[in-house]
Amino acid sequence: MKGRKETEVELMVSLGIVRQLVATREAKLFDGLSLNPSQFGVLNHFTHNPKRSWTVTELAGVMEMNQPGITKIVTVLIERGLLRSEFDKDDKRRRYLKISAQGMNLCNDIISSLGPDISYLFSSWKDDELAQMQQHMMKLQQWLDEHRDDIRRK
């Protein structure tokens, strides 16, 4: 019987493999779409609360990206009319970003275009298996979100 530590290591190895396989599949799915996965990830972040505005600094934090990387993505999204930018009245260096109607529509279109592959991916899963996976993924997501800087080392 395996010990807990061995199971934990195997689980992390499996998560790494899944992450790589998903990234490769995602790259193929986004080939030919109007946004790359990083641009879509940032734009899609706004869809969860479309009325909320974000600064570049806030986005960099929640998306766990560096400031130059997020700025580059945001600039493209603004130029394409997918995000709107409003400067702070008191500090012109700060701007507030919101998703535009065009951005919402494009996100919905991309999600729709990914739908068939998502259904294909999970076609052999039973409803209770999907529910269990979602439960476990939400638990993992919540823990990771709450412990972003809580890293343990030897």
Side-chain angles (χ1 to χ4, degrees), residues 81-142:
L82 304 172
L83 290 181
R84 293 188 327 257
S85 173
E86 297 174 7
F87 286 99
D88 187 302
K89 294 174 185 120
D90 300 321
D91 185 352
K92 296 296 181 202
R93 296 170 298 172
R94 178 184 295 228
R95 62 182 173 173
Y96 298 98
L97 307 165
K98 281 189 174 181
I99 193 167
S100 67
Q102 184 180 344
M104 285 292 293
N105 290 336
L106 182 58
C107 266
N108 290 333
D109 290 347
I110 289 174
I111 289 169
S112 291
S113 76
L114 300 175
D117 195 68
I118 294 168
S119 293
Y120 177 56
L121 171 68
F122 293 111
S123 63
S124 66
W125 292 51
K126 295 179 182 147
D127 289 350
D128 63 322
E129 291 173 320
L130 284 173
Q132 287 175 16
M133 174 65 108
Q134 184 178 25
Q135 222 176 3
H136 293 303
M137 293 299 291
M138 292 304 296
K139 184 176 181 178
L140 178 60
Q141 177 185 326
Q142 182 177 354

Side-chain angles (χ1 to χ4, degrees), residues 58-81:
E58 290 170 333
L59 274 178
V62 298
M63 300 299 294
E64 296 187 330
M65 296 176 72
N66 61 38
Q67 194 108 1
I70 202 83
T71 298
K72 183 178 177 182
I73 291 171
V74 162
T75 300
V76 169
L77 297 175
I78 291 169
E79 287 172 354
R80 296 195 45 206

